[in-house]
Amino acid sequence: AARMFLRLLSGVRWRMTNLKWRGLTCSQRSTSNTAEPHPVALPAQAQVVICGGGIIGTSVAYHLSKMGWKDIVLLEQGRLAAGSTRFCAGIVSTARPVSLELKMADYSNKLYEQLEQETGVNTGYVKTGSISLAQTQDRLISLKRIASSLKVMGIPCEIITPKQAAQLHPLINIHDLVGAMYVPEDALVSSANVSLALATAASRNGVQIHERTSVSHVSIHKGRVTGVETDRGPIQCQYFVNCAGQWAYELGHSGEEVVNIPLHACEHFYLLTHPLKEPLASNLPTVVDPDGRIYIRNWQGGILSGGFEKNPKPLFTEGRNQLEIQNLQEDWDHFEPLLSALLRRMPDLEALQIMQLVNCPESFTPDMRCIMGESPTVRGYFVLAGMNSAGLSYGGGAGKYLAEWMVNGYPSENVWPLDLKRFGSLQSSRTFLRHRVMEVMPLMCDLKVPRWDFQTGRQLRTSPLYDRLDAQGARWMEKHGFERVKYFVPPGKDLLDLDRSKTFYKPDWFDIVGAEVKCCKEAVCVIDMSSFTKFEISSTGNQALESLQYLFSNDLDVPVGHVVHTGMLNEKGGYENDCSIARLSKRSFFMISPTDQQVHCWAWLKSHLPNDSNLTMEDVTWKYTALNLIGPRAVDVLSELSYAPMTAEHFPSLFCKEMSVGYANGIRVMSITHTGEPGFVLYIPIEYALHVYNEVMNMGQKYGIRNAGYYALRSLRIEKFFAFWGQDLDAFTTPMECGREFQVKLEKGMQFVGQEALLEQKQNGVYKRFTMFILEDHDTDTDLWPWWGEPIFRNGRYVGKTTSSAYSYTLERHVCLGFVQHFDEKTGEELVVTTDFINQGDYEIDIAGQRFQAKAKLYPFSSLFTQRRRKDEVELSSYQRE
């Protein structure tokens, strides 16, 4: 029985005779890793070579062939579906907190449902539904937030009582439950059969599939894929897709140029039981108990139950000599906490006979999201891997998006949260990955309240001021590996208490951030913003200006010393980057971009700038510390430190000048704060950073200076209706849709990327508009807070989601930013969104199922709810540092 459990688990008929690819590969199927005869030779060339024959690789092949690409070769080092896919628990769940992952899972579910009819391969698809349990009120809130997203996407879902959960699944012990979420259309499938069905369809569409064929090397010439080397000979190709699962990391390092794919495997345990005396019905809902860290599904009349323990066991997979993943060693002591949780949830199972404890490897990524997209360093090298134990749920949708990306140049959804380019090489350290996945795996079940932070792999990239700021009470978060300050804890506050203040309601840092915001508005604050990406682009002639004019939407032919806010657009007019560019000289430009743009922006510019030895680009992020001086008194502090007038007459807005500050020369000072408040950003060579910071703080004493963090900046920029890339703006958002027409040079007769798309929008109108909402009947102290991703309703109809939100200490209300769309009530067709459509609607924001009235604006609110700030001299005594 023990030997047979894998075959029982997958239900795969390995000796299928109707598969076209069978004749192309080996004549015999065996669990042995020894070489087998290959009747058909590999092709000498192909358009696409896919490495990996699991659910992910076969999904990519299936969708590419559906989109018309036929010259495709799929290589599997063992047998199809014999890797992680073979061990998959077979659960297809759409209950995902991230909208993009939810869409992928929903597409996968619909694809698998019709796959058997399309291919004739039995996939074992059964629509069982799922029940997610909540043992705490916070868990129930998180489920309600997910339920809100599911409902507006048309996925049936309801929040139910513990008694209703017990009616759906009679074995559940409900004594400690406060509620649950029921998703009736979730399903169970045989993952290996789904993979074989996808392979069958792909093969019928012309895809060649070769088993027992290992890829040893990816050939690269002039930064582009040219072919692969296998143990059966070379194949020339234009595109290579790495779907190698837990081996993707090593395969990425085997090429002539390294492609970093940051993932790491951990052991994943689940048990299989013999059938109950009264076998469980095949359509019994799957149970997910995240507070107990377990999942439970029916399996051939018994159960399959696994989970995500608090102390996972990472696996180092050095080399790729294990062709097919075998069941790893049992470890009952390690599994005991999960077994105890299972018996607490279903006590009637105590006498049930266990068939086997399965231990299989699962790959996890540093941020719990899968890795998708083209390598930033090698053109034509695509990756889809690191599924974080959700390969079956995401496989269909992820394969579809990657195929669209390869065929069309971009997917049909914004996939930036999954893009390989969100990582840098720093996240590919083996030590970092080993430590991070030990944190990531438990987080699969941990309650993720807003603004939680990873604890491992920290202090990797820091400003020169890190120790100084830390000693003054800085609380840290991490972005792209860079430590950034959230806020500063005043002396006397309980640091431990603040660390535990993670909640969906009003957080304990509320008053701390409020004081920082107040200081920014009435005195002066300093925010260390060194993490921002910084490039210098220069040329010997006009090459830099000419190239940048074509790649950026705003006019960069401005006088030396001026700063231009501009977008780097794609052909559809969407934002690939949103940045500020200072013209340092006639032939030199200084570009400031968001922190997580460092890899993406570099790759985009490298692929679009001409190959000209007279044109140079340098990443100078590490060379400069950036201090943001925000507030009306910033001008006084900087004037005294530089012995130069800094008033608007002498230093106008969006101006850049090299100055001396204290003893330090060569400080690039820009009159911009990224918040809408007055002030300056100082770009300081790192060797001067501590000196300049000390000078600024000492001089600012009499002006009430204090440190501030990114939470204050967030509140300031949102109340001023400032959109940030990666939160509000993305590759599917155009300047016309977010009120930035004035930052586009449409009337100047100059060509630039995205121009045609913007001209079309200008003529025909836009189908979504960036809108600001202020909550009107929301109690900050007692109601749930909006964070991001909340559904927006207009006249009772769903019209979009929020992209970011914050409490405005000026308006004394919550402010949400988001996009409003207009759909025809009968046909669902997208319609143009006009100013009247925005202004004439009654709006509500849905926070975990509760709707709050909101007022919509297309321009920033004035101070509607508080007295106007005094224009006279403010009293500074309250700002003096203790």
Side-chain angles (χ1 to χ4, degrees), residues 555-564 581-586 588-589 654-656:
D555 187 6
L556 298 178
D557 192 7
V558 294
V560 172
H562 282 66
V563 181
V564 177
I581 299 180
R583 192 169 192 180
L584 302 179
S585 70
K586 287 285 186 182
S588 180
F589 297 84
L654 294 175
F655 194 69
C656 175

Side-chain angles (χ1 to χ4, degrees), residues 48 60 64 69 239 241 382 401-409:
V48 182
V60 173
L64 283 174
W69 283 19
Y239 298 93
V241 188
F382 284 82
Y401 289 151
L402 191 75
E404 291 171 344
W405 200 333
M406 295 174 68
V407 174
N408 301 327

Side-chain angles (χ1 to χ4, degrees), residues 46 149 415 427 448 531 605 622 820:
S149 293
V415 296
Q427 281 102 351
K448 290 175 279 294
S531 67
L605 289 173
W622 63 275
V820 170

